[in-house]
Amino acid sequence: MNSLSNAEVLRGWKLFFLHGEEKEALTLAGLTRIPSGSKLPDDWQGHIILHWGTAHDACVHKPAIQPLLAIRRAQDRLQREELLHLHGVKSAASHAAHKDQWIFTHTYKVAIFHLQTLLVFEKKETLLLADKAMYNQRKRNTTSAYTEVEPDRTGFHVRRATREALKAVYALGLDYGLVTIGILRSGHTLVLDVDPVPQLSGKLAAAFAQAMDRYELGIAKELRRKERAMLGSDPEFLLLSAQGKVVSADRFLQREGTVGCDAIVLSGQRLILPLAELRPQPSTDPQELTRNLYSTMKLAARAIPDESLAWLSGGMPVGGFPLGGHIHFSRCWPNVHLLRALDNYLALPLILIEGVTTRERRPRYGFLGDFRRQKLHGGFEYRTLPSWMHSPDITHGVFALASLIADNYWLLPEQPLQKLDIQAAYYHGDKFYLQGTVAKLWNNLEKLKGYALFAKVLNRFRTRIESMEPWNERADIRKAWKIAPYHRKEAIEEQIML
């Protein structure tokens, strides 16, 4: 059994910047305080390798920033385009059939390092990319054509470019890179290139070095964390009439509050508010968070007096109405290692019990690594999961698993989602292909010291996952939760005595 704790990991913790003596790598090595070289010292017992380029040993058994496999895949155009398409990232290849319409109004170069945008460079232009010679000439002359976008000038196009750049880097399994984004005259955003080993100007090199140092400080602080992560959530559900029509939640609920409604943006940027959303009081205890969610459901029942309306959960219970089961994390540092652990150890197992229509939410929603920073509590919102409110057991299991991962992710090194076949199975909802992988991941979870804290609920959750019984996206969730009109004497049953 694995008996390591974060404190024991910290005692041997070190970061090493490993490179092949490339010009940019040597420049960075001179600007950062992180120990570096073209090979690991013989006596080095550290924890994380920060790679630059591929002209050195892979060190496959060490946690990594910018794994060599991901660099090589990103440098292979065909593999890169295939991966971006799988994750729902629009690229040049995905719009190849419309080359006659490839006229850009803006292009951007976005520097990304570890979930953050470092610098953005902009070029306003009208360029027909069907002219390959012109495109190749533009690529040779990009450096002088772009101007830096100041932080106070981040308008709509810049925000979209940075969002897509971050998504592209993560989708490729990278942790940093220079992403070229094009904004078409139609308004579509295309990823034109992702360079995992970018050329670095003076300012760009300084920005990368500072980001590397910030990463080292952040990881060191996170490994010293002794308090448990605080969890919150804001799962969504849909109201459906007896005639099968969606009833907009804003008929009963306000935007804000413990029980509120959330928006969907339709084509033409028209905003509607059909989704009901629950916002329970956060807690470090998964059981208490489940109780808090149950309390908000009872508040919602009073706010929605029409008992004939069914409450639907899941991913896409009705076409065109995607639902999310977002989980909020605070008192822990948002970092790529935690995000990938949540993808592998939470999102991947949940696939085995999702409903038939849940997969229709992906990849526009439910893509891997989908997160949003939260200024209010200083943490982040993990947005990949569908709404998981089909029963108290599933909800409690999701919260317990999320808590276990957030406090132990350093001890969960397996990342099957770095493999293309596993990623494809995730997005396609191929349960039988993923069954064996999920079983191995759960064995890793059971070895954690913290597993015993939630063993009863997690073992029950594992049994449900192993059954691969899909939840019914058209089932009224009030019945499982014993919410009115299903709240008579059955309300005292054990599963509601949380």
Side-chain angles (χ1 to χ4, degrees):
M1 296 290 284
N2 190 339
S3 59
L4 285 175
S5 66
N6 272 359
E8 290 167 315
V9 170
L10 179 61
R11 281 199 288 272
W13 183 84
K14 286 182 182 178
L15 177 64
F16 193 87
F17 178 34
L18 189 60
H19 55 77
E21 298 189 349
E22 299 90 345
K23 176 184 174 183
E24 288 80 9
L26 293 174
T27 298
L28 288 173
L31 293 172
T32 180
R33 60 173 172 264
I34 300 169
S36 63
S38 57
K39 65 176 183 177
L40 290 175
D42 293 336
D43 59 347
W44 194 77
Q45 298 295 321
H47 193 59
I48 301 178
I49 307 293
L50 198 162
H51 293 283
W52 184 274
T54 59
H56 57 270
D57 294 335
C59 304
V60 293
H61 299 299
K62 296 289 186 182
I65 286 290
Q66 203 79 337
L68 267 63
L69 174 62
I71 296 175
R72 294 190 178 104
R73 283 200 306 223
Q75 290 175 330
D76 183 314
R77 183 176 178 180
L78 290 178
Q79 286 195 62
R80 183 178 73 230
E81 298 288 344
E82 179 184 354
L83 262 176
L84 292 177
H85 175 71
L86 186 63
H87 287 261
V89 180
K90 294 176 181 176
S91 65
S94 65
H95 276 55
H98 306 285
K99 282 187 177 181
D100 57 333
Q101 300 174 17
W102 284 14
I103 300 177
F104 289 162
T105 59
H106 301 73
T107 54
Y108 295 94
K109 287 194 174 292
V110 184
I112 299 290
F113 186 95
H114 189 249
L115 308 179
Q116 290 188 319
T117 302
L118 303 184
L119 294 169
V120 181
F121 301 92
E122 179 185 57
K123 179 183 176 185
K124 296 180 180 179
E125 60 183 332
T126 301
L127 179 64
L128 187 63
L129 285 193
D131 188 337
K132 186 176 292 186
M134 184 183 294
Y135 178 52
N136 290 336
Q137 181 64 31
R138 182 187 67 83
K139 289 183 71 176
R140 288 194 292 269
N141 296 303
T142 51
T143 303
S144 60
Y146 285 80
T147 58
E148 183 182 348
V149 177
E150 298 298 329
D152 59 354
R153 289 184 51 239
T154 53
F156 175 74
H157 289 315
V158 175
R159 290 194 298 273
R160 285 190 64 183
T162 55
R163 181 192 66 197
E164 290 302 297
L166 180 59
K167 185 177 176 182
V169 166
Y170 189 93
L172 294 172
L174 300 170
D175 299 301
Y176 63 80
L178 188 64
V179 185
T180 306
I181 300 286
I183 308 294
L184 290 169
R185 188 169 58 182
S186 64
H188 289 97
T189 302
L190 297 186
V191 174
L192 302 178
D193 190 27
V194 181
D195 189 348
V197 193
Q199 295 183 10
L200 301 179
S201 63
K203 188 165 186 178
L204 201 53
F208 267 86
Q210 291 165 11
M212 290 163 62
D213 287 341
R214 286 196 302 270
Y215 168 79
E216 183 189 36
L217 290 173
I219 288 296
K221 182 179 179 181
E222 172 71 354
L223 281 169
R224 289 194 295 269
R225 171 169 65 92
K226 295 181 180 179
E227 62 182 352
R228 288 171 60 181
M230 177 74 75
L231 267 61
S233 66
D234 55 356
E236 298 165 335
F237 64 93
L238 203 61
L239 300 174
L240 198 72
S241 72
Q243 293 73 38
K245 301 294 184 181
V246 171
V247 176
S248 188
D250 65 352
R251 283 183 49 184
F252 310 100
L253 308 172
Q254 302 296 316
R255 283 295 293 267
E256 307 299 329
T258 303
V259 178
C261 56
D262 202 6
I264 288 179
V265 179
L266 303 178
S267 58
Q269 303 302 310
R270 187 166 68 90
L271 185 141
I272 60 174
L273 297 164
L275 310 182
E277 186 173 87
L278 305 177
R279 300 150 189 162
Q281 185 71 22
S283 177
T284 58
D285 180 8
Q287 186 175 26
E288 183 177 15
L289 182 57
T290 308
R291 288 195 191 104
N292 294 345
L293 181 65
Y294 180 51
S295 296
T296 64
M297 295 180 79
K298 291 192 289 185
L299 290 175
R302 290 198 287 270
I304 305 171
D306 188 347
E307 293 187 350
S308 71
L309 299 177
W311 295 13
L312 306 186
S313 184
M316 189 81 80
V318 177
F321 293 90
L323 302 180
H326 307 157
I327 300 180
H328 296 245
F329 296 84
S330 58
R331 299 184 184 176
C332 59
W333 184 50
N335 67 78
V336 72
H337 309 288
L338 174 52
L339 267 186
R340 295 201 191 281
L342 290 169
D343 285 344
N344 284 278
Y345 289 89
L346 180 55
L348 199 59
L350 203 60
I351 288 285
L352 299 193
I353 57 171
E354 71 178 17
V356 175
T357 56
T358 305
R359 74 187 70 175
E360 297 173 15
R361 177 175 176 261
R362 300 186 294 268
R364 182 175 180 182
Y365 302 94
F367 58 86
L368 295 169
D370 188 9
F371 84 106
R372 181 182 295 168
R373 297 181 189 276
Q374 293 290 327
K375 294 181 180 179
L376 184 62
H377 53 65
F380 70 99
E381 177 185 26
Y382 183 62
R383 299 168 55 83
T384 299
L385 305 181
S387 186
W388 24 252
M389 291 192 293
H390 286 82
S391 74
D393 281 351
I394 292 176
T395 298
H396 196 178
V398 167
F399 287 157
L401 195 49
S403 179
L404 181 67
I405 294 166
D407 291 336
N408 297 275
Y409 60 94
W410 287 115
L411 309 175
L412 297 170
E414 299 298 325
Q415 293 189 18
L417 278 167
Q418 289 292 335
K419 300 176 182 178
L420 296 181
D421 60 329
I422 301 298
Q423 289 186 27
Y426 167 80
Y427 281 107
H428 299 149
D430 191 339
K431 301 183 181 189
F432 291 99
Y433 196 88
L434 296 173
Q435 188 177 18
T437 297
V438 170
K440 292 177 182 177
L441 290 173
W442 207 281
N443 288 338
N444 293 339
L445 292 165
E446 282 189 316
K447 295 176 182 178
L448 298 172
K449 274 185 176 180
Y451 191 92
L453 288 173
F454 316 119
K456 184 177 180 180
V457 63
L458 286 176
N459 289 338
R460 191 161 59 235
F461 191 36
R462 181 180 189 174
T463 299
R464 174 62 194 274
I465 287 172
E466 288 176 340
S467 76
M468 295 202 299
E469 177 188 350
W471 61 50
N472 180 1
E473 302 224 327
R474 284 302 185 111
D476 191 332
I477 62 174
R478 292 177 300 175
K479 188 171 184 178
W481 286 88
K482 304 300 183 288
I483 298 293
Y486 304 99
H487 64 302
R488 311 301 184 235
K489 63 180 181 179
E490 296 90 347
I492 62 172
E493 288 183 4
E494 182 180 355
Q495 69 167 343
I496 300 300
M497 299 295 289
L498 298 169

